[in-house]
């Protein structure tokens, strides 16, 4: 007899005492809270933050820094504190229930619940609200104004006779069109060919032309431009509360300094003679300038910081049926009557085969004296006379191509929008084309006013990335002033980025992976600037068969001649002229104490790091895993670091005061919000998840042991809150490379993408251990065995570990290690492998469909750590593939292999499953349809958590198994019966 157990409603009571706290179950997920977005006012007196739930209605909290004022707004989000510290502006969502009900009832988008806009004066209680608001914007560096756009108005009055008649005509016309299309389909067997031929020499099909004409007519006459029509935009003065309304607005933008509001207005769909407009509204004079009147398409609007200049691309001349539509770059400056064409395909400096890109970002330099825009190859018109049924669809793979066909197809959409950077200089009215197909990546500093641009290209050398995972790159120095281009580094195997260009453009720095050093070029010569640093400035713990990566740069010091870089622990001041020795900026205290220092940038507009001021840095003790915050002034650490058993998250600083906000967490405490002001005690502002105290939670501690090879390693041991050393507990090991740095990370009970839900299992009486693993190149399976199995056996020596009931779980790289380990040992009673590779020989030459890249590089250079090709060392691929060792398996295994996995092809799961089935092993496979490498849909995440609990409870706790384990779920019952009920 089978009894259905309702997992979400069960009341779980401990067998030994009714007074103990209840354990976590699957009902707790949705309401578990986290801190969402947060911000602090410029004067540091106000904090606004979100408290989010996993599923349901969030809250917005507004508090004063002195904690004397607090206001909670249900469902508030996307808050902004005005620059003058007076107002908080935010959106309010409809209730989760109302939105869900509307979707269930399949209401039309316009009839579904809409967001509202809300404004509150900080410190006061009353809130001004406006219903049915799409979005709002405020000036980035100014205050006093907000613009908000309304949703489409809901019809409030019944349609009149003429409107009803028009609707009837439209509906009738649609039916006629559908009938004509059906007739055409039925008559396809009789082709009425004309003597005309298309450009490919094929006869033109009259019926296809008729179908195209019908479709065009339907698109033009029925759909019209109504779908592109804008809605009302309201400009509100926050002080006077006066509002001005602009109709049919599609897009709108404030300039950074807040003096102008730019709007694009669409034509009135009810007036065939109306036109589109681009309008610039002066907020100081309350006067509007019309920049453009009429046109088909406007895109990529941008304003100079002061709002005096506007640029955008527009297509204004093409007829509706034209297949090729060319865009121009339009420009307006205060004092002009209207915008003028600044650049088009015929402008001097634009190559014959290029035109203005409609997809490129347009940006003024900080001074407004330069304008960056994009060019693109001339579009090729599509031959509309070709029949769909006659089109040959084939992917041609050619060994000469830079990118595999699979990569090209994956990038098709972005490649169709590919564009190349060009710059217009207003001083000399000159266009400089910087990017091209041969040099597709060019960058400069954020302000765009220096003459130096850096070009990086791997053109013609991309094929080898299939097996190396990277490419050799050339670096160019462009000089915008004289138009010169100079090759400064050939075939770099390393790293260069915009942050490595000095703020004045004098120095270009890059990291060379082969020499493990940084180099600087000053326009005339290249120098190694780190060769005399005596400690590694690269990843000294690298255990992959590839060059180790650098620890990165911190930023440029005042004066442009010194760059701050990191080693594993400390910060170094490097003289980019190469004349002076590098200086350990943290005086070697990091390496001495095994403490890592890292800079936290709190000023987004910062160009240089001002060494004279107190700069915020994070501090992490690599031994104890404790963390904290400190200040660095010149090369002195201030506020001596005091270890805290917490992790710190993303500090932010008030713009005009020394007040910081940040989150702080550990395994026992949710990441709550805190503030700190120098010279004062930190203040805790939130206390989320009070319900946690009602449940049996857990503890986290470091646990060290010696591996079979004699090395010392560390992991995190999680124990239930009610742990009793005189009892025995089942244990699950979860692993993925190294996890011990997360000792003080909070782990919310939530349905995970497929990793082990640690806090959930710990609450329910499991021990969980996460061991760190170091690898030997060529032998990752043996390395996993050396670390994981040795840790398991060491833990089993403790009387509180139930050695007969130990399981393992892993996802992705952890998943293959799970599959490997059960072929190497029988000490585990249950195993769960998510997205494992079963057979490295069949996976080696395959494709990672998410990105389209070949998988060879993974095995030769990165995570799989084989370090050789399949034909050089096939024995290593076999050694590290569980498929070849399946006869040794005695441990039951669940596999998750999803059919839309873009990282590990799901046929790897099939190989593992079918191999174990043939050998008579206990094995199950879960395939979530349409899901990727890690689960995305919440319903699927919840489902796998239930199944994982049922599986481990069955094998490690002696619980009765569910029917999906005992019998499975036949395809005919898919979507009807999930097999979750317990089989009695």
């Amino acid at each position: 007899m089978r009894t259905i157990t309702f997992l979400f409603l069960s009341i779980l009571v401990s067998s030994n005492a009714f007074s103990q706290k209840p354990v976590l179950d699957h009902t707790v997920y949705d309401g578990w809270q986290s801190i969402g977005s947060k911000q602090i006012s410029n004067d540091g007196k106000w904090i606004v933050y979100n408290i989010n739930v996993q599923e349901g209605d969030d809250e917005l909290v507004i508090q004063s820094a002195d904690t004397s004022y607090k206001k909670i707004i249900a469902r508030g989000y996307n808050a902004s504190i005005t620059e003058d510290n007076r107002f908080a502006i935010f959106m309010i969502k409809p209730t989760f229930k109302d939105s869900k009900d509307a979707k269930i009832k399949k209401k039309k988008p316009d009839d579904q619940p809409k967001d509202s806009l809300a404004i509150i004066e900080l410190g006061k209680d009353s809130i001004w609200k406006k219903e049915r608001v799409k979005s709002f914007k405020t000036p980035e560096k100014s205050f006093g104004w907000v613009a908000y756009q309304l949703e489409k108005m809901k019809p409030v009055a019944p349609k009149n006779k003429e409107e009803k008649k028009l609707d009837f005509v439209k509906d009738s016309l649609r039916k006629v069109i559908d009938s004509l299309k059906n007739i055409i389909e039925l008559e396809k067997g009789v082709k009425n060919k004309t003597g005309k031929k298309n450009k490919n020499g094929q006869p033109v099909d009259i019926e296809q032309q008729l179908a195209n004409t019908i479709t065009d007519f339907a698109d033009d006459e029925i759909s019209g431009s109504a779908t592109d029509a804008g809605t009302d935009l309201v400009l509100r003065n926050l002080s006077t509360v006066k509002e001005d309304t602009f109709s049919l607005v599609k897009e709108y933008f404030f300039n950074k300094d807040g003096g102008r509001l730019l709007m694009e207005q669409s034509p009135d769909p009810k007036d065939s003679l109306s036109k589109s407009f681009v309008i610039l509204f002066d907020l100081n004079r309350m006067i509007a300038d019309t920049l453009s009147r009429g046109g088909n398409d406007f895109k990529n609007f941008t304003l100079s910081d002061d709002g005096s200049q506007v640029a955008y691309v527009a297509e204004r001349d093409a007829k509706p049926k034209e297949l090729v539509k060319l865009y121009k770059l339009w420009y307006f400056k205060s004092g002009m009557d209207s915008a003028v064409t600044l650049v088009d395909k015929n402008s001097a400096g634009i190559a014959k085969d290029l035109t203005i890109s409609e997809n490129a970002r347009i940006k003024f330099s900080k001074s407004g004296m330069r304008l960056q825009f994009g060019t693109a190859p001339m579009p090729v018109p599509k031959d509309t006379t070709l029949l769909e049924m006659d089109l040959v669809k084939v992917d041609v793979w050619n060994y000469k191509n830079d990118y595999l066909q699979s990569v090209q197809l994956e990038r098709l959409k972005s490649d169709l929008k590919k564009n190349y950077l060009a710059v217009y200089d207003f001083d000399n009215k000159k266009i400089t084309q910087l990017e091209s197909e041969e040099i597709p990546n060019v960058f400069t500093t954020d302000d765009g006013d220096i003459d130096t641009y850096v070009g990086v290209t791997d053109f013609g050398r991309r094929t080898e990335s299939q097996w190396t995972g990277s490419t050799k790159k050339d670096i160019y120095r462009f000089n915008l002033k004289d138009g010169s281009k100079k090759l400064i580094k050939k075939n770099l195997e390393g790293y260069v980025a915009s942050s490595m260009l000095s703020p004045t453009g004098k120095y270009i720095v890059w990291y060379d992976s082969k020499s493990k050093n940084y180099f600087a070029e000053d326009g005339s010569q290249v120098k190694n600037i780190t060769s005399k640093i005596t400690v590694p400035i690269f990843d000294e713990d690298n255990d992959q068969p590839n060059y180790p990566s650098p620890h990165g740069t911190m930023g440029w010091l005042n004066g442009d001649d010194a760059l701050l870089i990191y080693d594993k622990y400390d910060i170094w001041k490097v003289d980019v002229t190469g004349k002076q020795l590098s200086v350990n900026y943290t005086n070697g205290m990091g390496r001495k104490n095994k403490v890592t220092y890292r800079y936290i940038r709190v000023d987004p507009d910062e160009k240089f790091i001002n060494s004279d001021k107190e700069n915020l840095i994070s501090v992490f003790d690599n031994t104890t895993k404790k963390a904290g915050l400190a200040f660095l002034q010149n090369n002195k650490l201030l506020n001596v670091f005091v270890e805290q058993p917490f992790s710190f998250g993303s500090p932010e600083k008030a713009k005009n005061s020394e007040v910081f906000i940040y989150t702080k967490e550990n395994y026992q405490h949710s990441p709550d919000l805190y503030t700190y002001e120098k010279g004062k005690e930190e203040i805790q502002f939130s206390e989320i998840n009070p319900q946690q105290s009602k449940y049996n939670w857990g503890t986290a501690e470091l646990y060290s042991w010696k591996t079979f090879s004699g090395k010392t390693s560390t992991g995190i041991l999680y124990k239930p809150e009610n742990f009793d050393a005189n009892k025995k507990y089942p244990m699950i090991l979860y692993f993925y490379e190294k996890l011990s740095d997360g000792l003080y990370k909070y782990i919310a009970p939530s349905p995970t993408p497929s990793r082990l839900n640690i806090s959930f299992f710990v609450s329910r009486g499991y021990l969980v251990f996460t061991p760190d693993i170091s690898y030997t190149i060529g032998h990752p399976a043996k390395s996993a065995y050396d670390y994981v199995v040795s840790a398991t056996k060491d833990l089993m020596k403790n009387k509180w570990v139930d050695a007969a009931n130990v399981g393992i779980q892993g996802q992705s790289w952890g998943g293959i290690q799970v599959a490997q380990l059960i072929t190497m040992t029988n000490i585990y009673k249950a195993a769960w492998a998510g997205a494992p590779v079963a057979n490295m020989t069949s996976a080696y030459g395959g494709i990672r469909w998410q990105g389209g890249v070949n998988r060879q590089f993974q095995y030769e250079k990165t995570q799989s750590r084989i370090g050789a090709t399949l034909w050089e060392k096939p024995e290593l691929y076999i050694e590290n593939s569980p498929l070849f060792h399946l006869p040794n398996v005695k441990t039951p295994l669940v596999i998750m292999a999803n059919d839309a996995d873009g990282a590990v092809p799901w046929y790897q799961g099939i190989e593992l499953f079918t191999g174990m089935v043939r050998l008579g092993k206990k094995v199950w496979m879960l395939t979530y349809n349409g899901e990727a490498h890690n689960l995305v849909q919440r319903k699927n995440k919840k489902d796998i958590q239930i199944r994982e609990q049922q599986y481990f409870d069955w094998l490690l706790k002696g619980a009765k198994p569910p029917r999906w384990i005992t019998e499975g779920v036949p395809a005919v019952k898919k979507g009807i019966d999930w097999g979750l009920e317990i089989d009695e």
Side-chain angles (χ1 to χ4, degrees):
M1 177 181 177
R2 292 168 181 162
T3 301
I4 297 177
T5 300
F6 293 96
L7 294 166
F8 284 90
L9 300 177
S10 62
I11 301 174
L12 300 168
V13 181
S14 176
S15 61
N16 60 347
F18 287 97
S19 60
Q20 287 188 346
K21 294 180 179 180
V23 299
L24 295 170
D25 60 39
H26 300 291
T27 66
V28 306
Y29 301 144
D30 292 351
W32 218 266
Q33 298 170 326
S34 62
I35 300 295
S37 61
K38 63 185 186 299
Q39 60 180 298
I40 186 169
S41 61
N42 289 339
D43 61 6
K45 294 181 179 180
W46 299 97
I47 292 98
V48 178
Y49 59 97
N50 273 102
I51 296 178
N52 297 337
V53 293
Q54 293 183 27
E55 187 172 291
D57 294 323
D58 301 331
E59 292 179 342
L60 181 72
V61 183
I62 302 173
Q63 282 184 266
S64 59
D66 62 7
T67 69
S68 63
Y69 172 94
K70 182 176 182 179
K71 194 166 188 68
I72 299 175
I73 295 93
R75 307 182 310 283
Y77 76 102
N78 194 29
S80 175
I81 302 176
T82 56
E83 285 283 296
D84 60 353
N85 314 296
R86 282 190 62 195
F87 299 94
I89 307 172
F90 50 93
M91 300 290 285
I92 299 178
K93 291 181 180 179
T95 66
F96 178 81
K97 182 181 183 302
D98 287 347
S99 296
K100 187 174 182 178
D101 287 347
K103 291 178 181 178
I104 292 172
K105 294 175 182 177
K106 297 182 179 180
K107 289 188 176 183
K108 295 178 180 178
D110 288 345
D111 295 330
Q112 292 184 8
K114 302 297 181 183
D115 293 354
S116 299
L117 176 70
I119 301 174
I120 186 171
E121 187 169 357
L122 295 171
K124 297 186 178 180
D125 287 327
S126 62
I127 302 176
W128 176 87
K129 295 180 182 179
K130 182 71 175 180
E131 294 182 340
R132 295 183 64 83
V133 173
K134 263 191 201 179
S135 65
F136 77 90
K137 293 178 183 179
T138 57
E140 183 181 340
K141 300 292 184 183
S142 184
F143 56 87
W145 299 96
V146 61
Y148 60 90
Q149 189 167 23
L150 299 174
E151 297 277 1
K152 276 196 267 186
M153 294 295 293
K154 294 182 72 173
V156 292
K159 294 183 178 180
N160 59 36
K161 188 175 180 180
E162 292 300 317
E163 289 173 327
K164 290 180 179 178
K165 186 184 294 184
L166 181 60
D167 286 344
F168 175 79
V169 171
K170 288 181 178 179
D171 289 338
S172 300
L173 187 55
R174 287 190 183 95
K175 291 177 182 178
V176 170
I177 290 169
D178 289 339
S179 298
L180 286 171
K181 287 181 177 178
N182 290 333
I183 291 170
I184 290 171
E185 289 299 317
L186 290 171
E187 296 294 329
K188 283 294 182 183
V190 182
K191 296 297 179 183
N192 183 12
K193 304 289 184 183
T194 68
K196 296 180 181 179
K197 294 184 178 182
N198 61 26
K199 66 177 184 180
N200 293 328
Q202 295 177 323
V204 174
D205 191 320
I206 292 177
E207 292 169 350
Q208 182 66 33
Q209 286 186 326
L210 175 59
N212 292 340
T213 302
I214 291 171
T215 302
D216 289 345
F217 180 77
D219 291 343
D220 293 345
E221 300 302 325
I222 295 179
S223 299
S225 59
T227 55
D228 296 326
T231 59
D232 285 352
L233 180 75
V234 181
L235 176 66
R236 182 180 178 90
N237 186 307
L238 292 171
S239 296
T240 66
V241 302
K242 180 183 178 182
E243 293 188 338
D244 293 279
T245 302
F246 304 87
S247 61
L248 299 170
V249 173
K250 290 178 66 177
E251 295 189 80
Y252 64 106
F253 311 88
F254 283 106
N255 69 300
K256 184 177 285 189
D257 295 341
R260 307 284 197 283
L261 176 64
L262 179 67
M263 295 169 281
E264 178 194 0
Q265 289 181 304
S266 62
D268 186 345
K270 297 178 181 178
D271 183 356
S272 61
L273 299 178
S274 69
K275 298 179 180 295
S276 55
F277 290 87
V278 178
I279 293 173
L280 185 64
F281 192 79
D282 189 316
L283 300 177
N284 298 314
R285 298 185 299 148
M286 300 300 287
I287 295 175
D289 283 322
T290 300
L291 279 55
S292 291
R293 180 184 286 106
N296 299 316
D297 194 19
F298 296 86
K299 290 184 175 181
N300 306 335
F301 295 92
T302 188
L303 296 96
S304 59
D305 284 358
D306 64 4
S308 65
Q309 300 176 91
V310 179
Y312 47 93
V313 295
E315 189 284 294
R316 303 182 64 185
D317 307 317
K319 296 178 181 179
K321 300 296 187 296
E322 286 190 31
L323 298 176
V324 175
K325 298 179 180 181
L326 300 179
Y327 287 76
K328 298 177 181 179
L329 179 62
W330 292 79
Y331 172 74
F332 174 85
K333 186 174 183 179
S334 294
M336 297 171 60
D337 289 334
S338 60
V340 297
T341 300
L342 186 68
V343 184
D344 63 17
K345 68 181 184 67
N346 298 313
S347 298
I350 302 297
K352 288 184 179 180
D353 58 342
L354 297 179
T355 186
I356 307 306
S357 171
E358 63 178 290
N359 301 303
R361 181 190 179 196
I362 303 173
K363 181 184 177 183
F364 284 100
S365 65
K366 192 168 185 64
S367 68
M369 296 308 297
R370 288 178 181 158
L371 180 63
Q372 297 179 4
F373 64 99
T375 60
M378 290 285 290
V380 179
K382 182 179 179 180
D383 190 346
T384 58
T385 63
L386 291 174
L387 289 172
E388 179 70 21
M389 63 182 294
D390 292 335
L391 288 176
V392 176
K393 296 183 179 180
V394 58
D395 301 327
V396 179
W397 298 56
N398 190 301
Y399 74 97
K400 293 182 179 180
N401 293 158
D402 253 8
Y403 292 115
L404 289 175
Q405 187 73 197
S406 53
V407 176
Q408 295 178 49
L409 292 170
E410 180 73 10
R411 299 181 182 181
L412 182 59
K413 287 184 179 179
S414 60
D415 283 350
L416 290 172
K417 297 180 179 180
K418 184 185 297 182
N419 55 82
Y420 305 119
L421 176 68
V423 177
Y424 185 92
D425 192 303
F426 289 100
D427 270 345
N428 55 30
K429 296 180 174 56
K430 179 184 175 184
I431 298 169
T432 304
Q433 182 72 56
L434 294 168
E435 289 180 344
S436 62
E437 184 180 6
E438 291 75 22
I439 307 179
N441 301 300
V442 174
F443 58 80
T444 187
T445 57
D446 285 342
D447 63 23
D449 282 315
I450 65 173
D451 291 330
T452 303
Y453 282 69
V454 180
V456 182
T457 180
D458 58 1
F459 183 77
R461 288 157 292 177
R462 296 163 183 154
T463 304
E464 66 182 32
S465 66
Q466 297 172 40
W467 52 88
T468 63
S470 60
T471 56
K472 298 182 179 70
K473 298 174 179 63
D474 298 339
I475 305 176
Y476 288 86
R477 176 187 281 267
F478 288 90
N479 188 304
L480 209 62
K481 192 171 185 178
D482 60 22
S484 63
K485 178 180 72 174
K486 179 183 178 183
L487 176 64
I488 61 174
K489 176 62 180 175
K490 182 76 174 173
N491 286 329
L492 170 70
E493 292 187 67
Y495 176 74
V496 63
S498 57
S499 60
M500 300 165 82
L501 171 63
S502 69
T504 66
K506 184 177 181 182
Y507 300 100
I508 301 172
V509 173
W510 61 85
Y511 177 80
D512 189 303
S513 297
K514 292 180 71 175
S515 69
K516 303 182 182 70
N517 277 290
Y518 287 92
F519 291 78
E521 191 269 354
D522 63 2
S524 59
Q525 58 180 327
V526 175
K527 292 182 179 180
N528 185 327
I529 58 175
T530 56
S531 59
K532 295 183 180 179
I533 294 179
T534 56
V535 300
I537 56 174
F538 50 86
D539 180 8
E540 55 201 81
D541 301 318
N542 177 56
D543 59 5
Q544 295 188 3
N546 206 350
Y547 297 122
S549 20
H551 286 287
T553 62
M554 172 172 159
W556 293 86
L557 285 179
N558 325 50
D560 209 28
D561 59 357
L563 178 66
L564 296 177
I565 69 167
Y566 300 121
D567 70 17
K568 180 178 179 179
Y569 304 103
D570 289 299
I571 301 168
W572 290 81
K573 177 184 175 183
V574 178
D575 175 23
V576 290
T577 68
K579 296 176 182 177
Q580 298 181 11
L581 291 175
S582 299
V583 176
N584 191 308
Y585 216 57
T586 42
N587 298 305
M589 297 300 293
R591 188 164 291 273
K592 178 181 178 182
N593 299 311
K594 294 190 178 345
V595 170
T596 297
Y597 301 108
R598 292 295 182 260
Y599 177 60
I600 300 173
R601 184 181 180 185
V602 293
D603 180 3
D605 296 325
E606 175 185 81
K607 289 176 63 175
F608 294 95
I609 294 174
N610 184 350
S611 59
D612 293 329
K613 74 173 187 179
E614 297 179 1
N615 292 289
L616 185 67
I617 60 171
S618 67
V619 190
F620 178 78
D621 189 311
N622 291 269
T623 303
T624 66
K625 313 301 180 182
K626 294 178 180 179
L629 302 172
F631 292 96
L632 181 66
Q633 188 173 26
N634 290 315
N635 62 336
K636 294 181 181 179
L637 282 168
L638 308 177
N639 294 34
V640 178
F641 167 54
V642 178
E643 293 181 343
Q644 295 191 45
F646 289 94
S647 290
F648 289 75
S650 55
E652 297 176 24
K653 179 185 174 296
K655 183 178 179 180
N656 301 320
S657 68
E658 298 300 312
V659 182
F660 297 84
I661 58 172
Y662 49 89
T663 56
K664 197 165 74 169
E665 65 186 278
N666 62 23
Y667 184 72
Q668 286 80 27
H669 298 93
S670 298
D672 275 305
L673 187 65
Y674 291 76
T675 66
Y676 170 77
E677 187 172 4
K678 189 177 178 183
K680 298 182 180 180
E681 294 292 325
E682 69 178 8
I683 300 174
Q684 181 176 341
F685 267 75
S686 68
E687 192 169 357
I688 60 175
N689 296 316
Q691 77 279 10
Q692 178 183 309
S693 63
K694 300 176 183 177
Y695 293 97
N696 183 48
W697 192 249
T699 61
E701 62 189 66
L702 286 180
Y703 183 94
S704 297
W705 78 101
K706 278 198 173 181
T707 68
F708 296 138
S709 59
K711 298 174 183 176
T712 299
S713 190
T714 303
I716 306 173
L717 179 60
Y718 299 91
K719 297 176 181 177
E721 181 180 315
N722 60 349
F723 175 79
D724 183 345
N726 294 313
K727 294 182 179 180
K728 287 187 177 293
Y729 294 86
M731 182 170 66
I732 302 174
L733 284 87
Y734 169 76
F735 36 84
Y736 191 98
E737 307 226 352
K738 292 180 173 67
L739 298 172
S740 66
D741 283 355
L743 173 65
Y744 293 109
K745 288 289 186 182
Y746 185 74
I747 303 176
S750 63
T752 74
S754 45
R755 301 183 296 273
L756 188 73
N757 192 342
I758 291 176
S759 55
F760 177 85
F761 279 96
V762 170
S763 173
R764 301 178 70 86
Y766 285 87
L767 300 172
V768 173
F769 186 62
T770 61
D772 284 353
I773 306 170
S774 295
Y775 296 90
T776 300
I777 293 171
H779 305 282
K782 290 180 180 178
S783 298
Y785 180 90
D786 185 25
Y787 282 79
V788 178
V789 178
S790 66
T792 306
K793 291 190 173 182
D794 193 83
L795 282 160
M796 284 177 172
K797 295 174 185 177
N798 296 287
K799 63 180 182 179
W800 33 265
V801 173
D802 186 351
N805 290 293
V806 179
I808 49 176
Q809 200 269 6
Q811 163 67 15
S812 189
W813 177 240
I816 185 176
Q817 291 174 311
V818 166
Q820 288 169 337
L821 288 174
I822 62 173
T823 69
M824 304 170 79
T825 180
N826 297 319
I827 66 171
Y828 301 112
K829 194 174 181 182
W832 186 292
V837 168
N839 180 359
M840 287 189 176
T841 66
S842 62
Y844 173 76
I847 298 294
R848 288 178 65 100
W849 294 110
Q850 186 176 355
V853 298
N854 185 258
R855 298 175 54 85
Q856 293 175 14
F857 75 93
Q858 293 178 232
Y859 301 95
E860 297 177 35
K861 294 293 185 180
T862 60
Q863 191 174 53
S864 296
R865 295 175 170 89
I866 300 299
T869 67
L870 178 60
W871 39 91
E872 288 171 335
K873 295 189 177 180
E875 70 279 6
L876 292 182
Y877 285 82
I878 293 173
E879 174 188 313
N880 292 284
S881 297
L883 185 73
F884 295 96
H885 315 290
L886 291 183
N888 301 328
V889 175
K890 292 184 179 178
T891 306
L893 174 68
V894 175
I895 305 161
M896 185 197 78
N898 300 327
D899 56 15
D901 191 330
V904 174
W906 79 297
Y907 59 72
Q908 287 292 313
I910 295 172
E911 288 193 49
L912 187 58
F913 177 80
T914 55
M916 290 186 69
V917 168
R918 178 171 181 172
L919 291 165
K921 311 297 182 181
K922 292 181 179 180
V923 63
W924 300 260
M925 188 165 78
L926 303 174
T927 299
Y928 290 91
N929 300 154
E931 280 281 20
H933 189 59
N934 294 291
L935 296 174
V936 175
Q937 297 183 55
R938 188 170 176 82
K939 62 182 180 181
N940 294 334
K941 293 179 182 180
K942 286 183 175 181
D943 181 84
I944 203 171
Q945 298 306 309
I946 296 170
R947 296 181 195 276
E948 198 164 67
Q949 179 217 328
Q950 291 177 328
Y951 178 71
F952 283 121
D953 280 0
W954 167 50
L955 289 173
L956 303 186
K957 281 189 170 184
K960 292 182 178 180
R963 198 159 46 79
W964 70 269
I965 288 177
T966 58
E967 295 182 11
V969 178
V972 292
K973 292 186 178 180
K974 179 179 177 180
I976 302 170
D977 180 357
W978 285 265
L980 294 174
E981 65 270 19
I982 302 302
D983 191 342
E984 297 289 353

